[in-house]
Amino acid sequence: MGMKCPYCGFEEGKVIDSRPTEEGYAIRRRRECLRCQKRFTTYEKLETVSLAVIKQDNSRQQYDREKVLRGIIRACEKRPISLAQMEKVTDDIESELYQSMAKEVTSTEVGERVMDHLKELDEVAYVRFASVHKHFADIEAFMAELQKLIDEKKGMNK
């Protein structure tokens, strides 16, 4: 029993072509119905392990890639960073989370990973994200974080 034809409902068909999608997370298959000869495409996708995010108030919610990407996009607003770069950072963070094999992760840990990646990508985006994520108590705490960033940068230039 194969894939049901979307045109005539027949359940017998043949696979004409299979290839991975650009991201490599799915297989795209071109199929042909053995009854009506029409062609259609199916996608076979890896089933991801569910990952729960533990929020600050100890509630849990399903990990949401789009939410992470939105936070990165917000931090990168009006910066010279392409959407492709932002999506790659999001993909990298997601890979790290799934490779850690943890079933649960804290929202703080997700935020720390985002900050680590943004620090490499764009300092302004990093500072923007950190200011939201770290809930700085006052301007002194914010300045201390900026000073840390400046010191790290000086350390790299030696």
Side-chain angles (χ1 to χ4, degrees):
M1 181 155 128
M3 239 340 135
K4 224 177 218 181
C5 172
Y7 303 104
C8 73
F10 193 61
E11 289 184 9
E12 294 294 319
K14 63 180 177 188
V15 175
I16 300 162
D17 180 49
S18 288
R19 64 182 65 174
T21 57
E22 279 122 49
E23 313 83 43
Y25 292 115
I27 303 281
R28 176 184 181 272
R29 298 196 197 280
R30 286 295 291 155
R31 297 175 182 268
E32 186 178 283
C33 176
L34 293 178
R35 182 196 283 157
C36 71
Q37 272 75 57
K38 286 203 169 105
R39 292 183 174 187
F40 57 99
T41 303
T42 60
Y43 289 90
E44 198 173 304
K45 201 173 175 208
L46 188 67
E47 190 174 14
T48 52
V49 187
S50 86
L51 181 66
V53 177
I54 305 166
K55 307 289 287 175
Q56 234 78 61
D57 64 1
N58 274 331
S59 66
R60 281 161 173 70
Q61 53 182 227
Q62 188 69 28
Y63 170 77
D64 183 357
R65 180 186 189 281
E66 291 308 309
K67 196 171 179 179
V68 172
L69 182 58
R70 278 195 307 272
I72 291 170
I73 289 170
R74 210 172 304 122
C76 294
E77 198 174 347
K78 295 189 173 98
R79 298 299 301 158
I81 300 156
S82 69
L83 184 58
Q85 286 173 291
M86 293 183 244
E87 285 182 329
K88 179 169 184 343
V89 166
T90 308
D91 290 342
D92 292 347
I93 290 164
E94 192 170 356
S95 292
E96 288 169 15
L97 292 171
Y98 284 115
Q99 283 168 11
S100 75
M101 298 303 284
K103 295 264 185 267
E104 294 184 328
V105 63
T106 63
S107 56
T108 303
E109 191 181 330
V110 175
E112 295 290 332
R113 287 179 190 267
V114 171
M115 286 190 297
D116 288 346
H117 285 273
L118 286 180
K119 193 184 280 189
E120 302 294 311
L121 188 66
D122 185 272
E123 289 172 348
V124 173
Y126 164 76
V127 170
R128 284 178 181 164
F129 190 88
S131 70
V132 172
H133 180 72
K134 290 194 171 190
H135 310 290
F136 293 116
D138 50 35
I139 194 79
E140 284 81 16
F142 190 61
M143 288 304 292
E145 184 67 27
L146 290 175
Q147 193 57 54
K148 219 165 65 182
L149 189 63
I150 291 165
D151 294 344
E152 279 178 27
K153 197 172 179 185
K154 283 181 187 164
M156 284 192 288
N157 292 337
K158 280 181 186 166

